[in-house]
Amino acid sequence: MAIDNETVKRVAFLSRLKVEDDKIEPTKEEFNKILQWIEELNEINTDEVEPLISVNNVNLRMRNDEITTGNCREDILKNAPSAEYDYFAVPKVVE
């Protein structure tokens, strides 16, 4: 699969990145190199390899699940830059 200039522009738009017109060709070449590397990785036989859950073979210590006081909504919302209806208010990011 090869990436073309229109795909580079679409990916840039979706990721909210500004790619200048003179940078589209180098970006396309970089995307194609990444895809070629992924295709090389797909050629590796991993049938006998057991999947890893973690690179460390250490169990994490668990804390006790204890009930806390809770009901501190007002204190938490004091940290919010903006709040509405007892919730954090954030700017709209999806069109």
Side-chain angles (χ1 to χ4, degrees):
M1 176 181 173
I3 300 291
D4 59 0
N5 290 350
E6 291 304 314
T7 305
V8 171
K9 291 177 185 177
R10 179 77 177 146
V11 169
F13 172 77
L14 291 173
S15 25
R16 305 289 194 257
L17 296 173
K18 183 177 181 181
V19 178
E20 302 292 338
D21 289 337
D22 61 332
K23 300 290 185 188
I24 289 184
E25 192 64 32
T27 304
K28 178 181 83 169
E29 291 172 9
E30 192 67 30
F31 281 177
N32 284 321
K33 287 179 187 177
I34 292 169
L35 289 175
Q36 180 183 6
W37 182 68
I38 291 171
E39 288 175 8
E40 289 177 23
L41 287 177
N42 285 333
E43 293 174 3
I44 298 172
N45 183 1
T46 59
D47 292 340
E48 302 296 322
V49 178
E50 186 175 333
L52 286 176
I53 295 173
S54 172
V55 293
N56 299 324
N57 196 12
V58 177
N59 293 329
L60 297 176
R61 292 183 300 151
M62 303 292 279
R63 65 174 171 83
N64 292 332
D65 191 13
E66 297 174 356
I67 298 174
T68 60
T69 57
N71 294 329
C72 53
R73 178 182 295 144
E74 292 81 21
D75 293 335
I76 293 171
L77 288 176
K78 287 179 187 176
N79 294 320
S82 178
E84 289 183 23
Y85 308 110
D86 292 334
Y87 294 98
F88 284 94
V90 296
K92 181 179 178 182
V93 294
V94 178
E95 295 177 13

